[in-house]
Amino acid sequence: MLTTTASPIDAGQRIEPGPWLFDPWQLFGALLSMPWVSLIVAAIIAIAVTVSPRWRARSESRARLTPASSGGVFARYAPEHRVLGLVAISVIVIFVAENLITRYALNLYNVVSWWRYATPVFTAGVGIAVLLTLIVTRGSRPAERPVVSPRRTWLSFSSRIGSAGAAVALLALTATTVLAGLASSNIDGGPYVFLEIDVPNETIDPIRPWFYGWAYGVPVLICTAALVAVSVAALHANAARPFLRPETVLTEQRERRDIATGITRLAISSALLALAGAWRFIAEAGSIGGLTIEGDGRSDSYDAVWRYGEIAAVGGWLAPALEIAAFVLLLLVTAQLCPPGYDFERTDDAETSADREAVR
């Protein structure tokens, strides 16, 4: 009788994909598995959003408030808008570059490349931490005149939709990572990077394809926890700092809403990028539909299907949509590099004048 060893891929064995992968959409799915393709689609959507009447109306309303009339408010928040835009660009560039390098330039065979899933979350977390530092050190100047306002929390300027979206994205990433970790297995005390698929009614060792197990998931969970912590801290610092003067409250509230929106979009998009990669990885492992063993001049085929294989396949097809949504959010955040209505030369002049007045 032919038997197999416990290695994930043995000589003389051929793992057969599940039948649901062979359909007319296979080529389309393969194309969308490339991040740069998702980025192009997202760019088209983002351009459509920015030319929409609602976006233009918002730009025109902001343009009516000049730095001089707002009393240095724009000067206070302009650096924070710049940081948000640069962080969004960094997440996009690092994510796409990492995928291109690992896909075409490096040989990662038998390498546990956990950073592929933790990188977007880590990059966003570091960027928001930089923003938090900027808010605390430069953007929390004492009030010029006291302003009476109700107590503010980290949710004060966050939209309900944005907060709910961030919570759903982060919880989905956490739940996927934990459940995949629990389903993973290892060999002889090695890393948890395998999915065991039993061959029913046969004395054959399980099929062990590589899988999004604990070896990949633990770094993602650590980065996710750090991202949540710095995001909440940044939202709280953004909301709790004093207003400059009573007449600037309305303008500052809008600025703080924009800052909070940028923070939540960064958190959502980084979680979606990591989640899309995890779902693709799980779908690739869970789509196995059988095993063929060749030897002694004959070939024997066995059916072996993961019980969650069809669910995993659906996740694999949804992954490009998550990736496109993430890129759209990031591209919208990049618009904060130069918010509508901002004149950064006049903003800098206003900031200098405000500093002179403070010295007097």
Side-chain angles (χ1 to χ4, degrees), residues 15 24 37 60 62 87 100 121 123 139 143 172 178 182 189 200 203 212 239 303 307 319 322 332 339 341 343 349:
I15 295 176
V37 175
E60 292 171 359
R62 181 187 287 276
V87 173
L100 292 176
V121 182
T123 306
V178 171
L182 294 174
T203 58
Y212 181 69
D303 293 329
R307 56 180 175 175
L322 299 183
L332 293 179
D343 186 331
D349 293 340

Side-chain angles (χ1 to χ4, degrees), residues 18 23 33 36 40 45 50 68 100 126 131 182 199 270 290 322 357:
D23 55 51
S33 68
W36 60 270
I40 293 173
I45 297 174
T50 55
L100 292 176
V126 171
L131 175 66
L182 294 174
V199 180
S270 61
L322 299 183
E357 292 294 331

Side-chain angles (χ1 to χ4, degrees), residues 50 55 81-82 84-86 88-89 265 329-340 342 344:
T50 55
W55 186 278
H81 287 294
R82 291 192 184 106
L84 283 170
L86 291 173
I89 292 175
R265 283 177 176 174
L329 292 176
L330 288 171
L331 290 171
L332 293 179
V333 176
T334 62
Q336 294 190 238
L337 271 172
C338 185
Y342 266 67
F344 284 111

Side-chain angles (χ1 to χ4, degrees), residues 76 101 108 111 184 285 317:
R76 187 184 198 187
I101 292 172
L108 297 180
V111 175
S184 65
W317 279 107

Side-chain angles (χ1 to χ4, degrees), residues 79-94:
E80 298 165 19
H81 287 294
R82 291 192 184 106
V83 169
L84 283 170
L86 291 173
V87 173
I89 292 175
S90 299
V91 174
I92 294 173
V93 171
I94 293 175

